Structures are given as structure tokens and as C-alpha cells.
Amino acid sequence: IWVVPVLLVTGIVAQLLTQIFPVTPTSPLPPTGTTIGLILSLIAGVLVAPAGEEILFRGFATTAWVRGLGRTNGLVLGALFFAFAHVLTVTGTNAGEAFQLAFVAFAGRIPVAIALGWLFLKRGTIWASFGLHATFNGILLIAAEAVARSAG
């Protein structure tokens, strides 16, 4: 259920960012157009990435920051760390474009990063944030694949 408002807010933020900055971010797992490609993307995006990221960003980082700095500061730092880590490989044709792409990717991930951290802290279990993360990624992957297949 939490994925619906998170997708909505993330979509609005992404739309606003792409209106302000004239760049088009690329997906880390772009549509493949094949069933086996979709299955492999789903394994990576719904199982592997959320498991590793939830352990690192919520299980270790957010937990440590919450213990040392309090819930709000820990949540914010964990979200910023999550968003920052997702732009480390962003590139562009020039420095200006790369910066804009990185900023759009960073800011566009803040809503889901905050939601994941908040749910983790509220529920007190990594399984809650893992479930939201996996569902969020899965919906985006399936939607991107559907759009790519209908266009082709």
C-alpha cells in the first residue's frame, strides 16, 4: 500500500525536475524488450539490489546515525546517503549535463529514500523497507518494459 503514495510523490518530483533541468535520466536497468531480459532485470532490481541496499543503507547506516544523532537526523542522513550512492556512476557528454543528470537523479530519489527510512524506523524491521523497495523497483521495471514494448 505504501508504494502508491511513494510512486506518486516520486513521479511528481521527477516531473518537476525534468521541467527545470533539460536532461533525461537513464534507468540503471533499462528495458530489454525480451522476456529473459525482463526476468533478469526483475531479479536484479527486485531481489538483489533491495536486499543489499536495505542492509547497507537502513540496516547499517541509518541505524548507526539514529543511535548517534537521533531519529530525524539519522533518517535524513540515511536518505541523503542512499540518494548520493545512486548517482555515483551518472555521466554526461559534458560537465554541465553530468551535474544536471546527477542532481535530477539525486533529488528524484529523495522521496523514496525518506519513505524507506521512515518505514524501517516505524516498523523496526528491515523487511518492511525491503518490501517497499522491491515493490517500488518492480513496478518501475515492469512499467518501463511495457512502455518500451508498446513503442517498438
Side-chain angles (χ1 to χ4, degrees):
I1 293 176
W2 285 106
V3 78
V4 174
V6 173
L7 280 168
L8 182 64
V9 172
T10 301
I12 291 169
V13 169
Q15 183 66 29
L16 288 171
L17 289 167
T18 56
Q19 293 294 321
I20 296 168
F21 298 99
V23 294
T24 304
T26 58
S27 172
L29 289 172
T32 65
T34 67
T35 301
I36 192 70
L38 175 60
I39 291 168
L40 292 173
S41 289
L42 287 171
I43 291 169
V46 174
L47 296 174
V48 177
E53 291 178 3
E54 290 309 308
I55 290 168
L56 175 63
F57 297 113
R58 258 59 69 187
F60 293 129
T62 300
T63 298
W65 282 320
V66 165
R67 287 182 184 162
L69 304 171
R71 289 177 71 86
T72 302
N73 290 336
L75 172 63
V76 169
L77 282 173
L80 293 173
F81 181 38
F82 176 86
F84 178 73
H86 282 79
V87 302
L88 292 174
T89 60
V90 172
T91 61
T93 56
N94 58 55
E97 182 188 55
F99 177 78
Q100 289 181 35
L101 284 166
F103 183 79
V104 168
F106 175 83
R109 283 182 174 80
I110 294 293
V112 71
I114 290 171
L116 291 167
W118 178 83
L119 189 59
F120 169 70
L121 294 174
K122 180 166 178 55
R123 293 291 179 100
T125 175
I126 204 165
W127 290 109
S129 56
F130 172 81
L132 176 57
H133 197 155
T135 305
F136 181 87
N137 286 1
I139 289 170
L140 291 179
L141 287 167
I142 290 169
E145 191 72 34
V147 167
R149 288 183 186 196
S150 69

